[in-house]
Amino acid sequence: MTADPKDELVEHLGAMRAFAISLTRNTALADDMVQDAVVKAWSKIDSFQPGTNMRAWLFTILRNTYYSHHRKHRREVEDGEGNLTAGLAQKPDHDGRLQMRDFNQAFDQLTPEQREALTLVGAGGFSYEEAAEMCDVAVGTIKSRVNRGRAHLTEILELSDDDPLESTEAVTMGIVASNQGAL
């Protein structure tokens, strides 16, 4: 009966660790390399040909594991403190503030009635009927104020229906967005 190659694998762990330490110069990394190599060898044990040199086969797997790790590690940049990550490009935070400032300036140019109607319907999410009741005016009057206010804001901000609204401010989007189904 032939010996199971898995049994022979354990005999070479000490030599594998010594070889890994000589490659890495780091015992913790060497232990990780040996573990990875053993896992690979174990999962591919059916490809080992009995009667050949198990030690050479394991060392080849360990060596390939080391070089794969080395190639991967060479492409990685250590950033333990997070300094490099913090410097990655991102959309400037001031864009939203600038857009909000422009919106506020445009909003201030509306009549008080239009601002009130847009705030209730656009930002507050109230229906035209609810807004009309709060303002003690007819529903048609609220619809007219909202429609004229949105049109005026669109003109001041130089927006068109095709332009994407980049503002992340939900209130602004609610006020400026047209409610065509409700008009």
Side-chain angles (χ1 to χ4, degrees), residues 79-92:
D79 189 20
E81 301 293 319
N83 296 331
L84 295 172
T85 305
L88 293 175
Q90 68 180 23
K91 185 175 180 181

Side-chain angles (χ1 to χ4, degrees), residues 41-52:
W42 191 271
S43 66
K44 299 291 185 180
I45 198 75
D46 56 331
S47 67
F48 175 73
Q49 297 177 349
T52 60

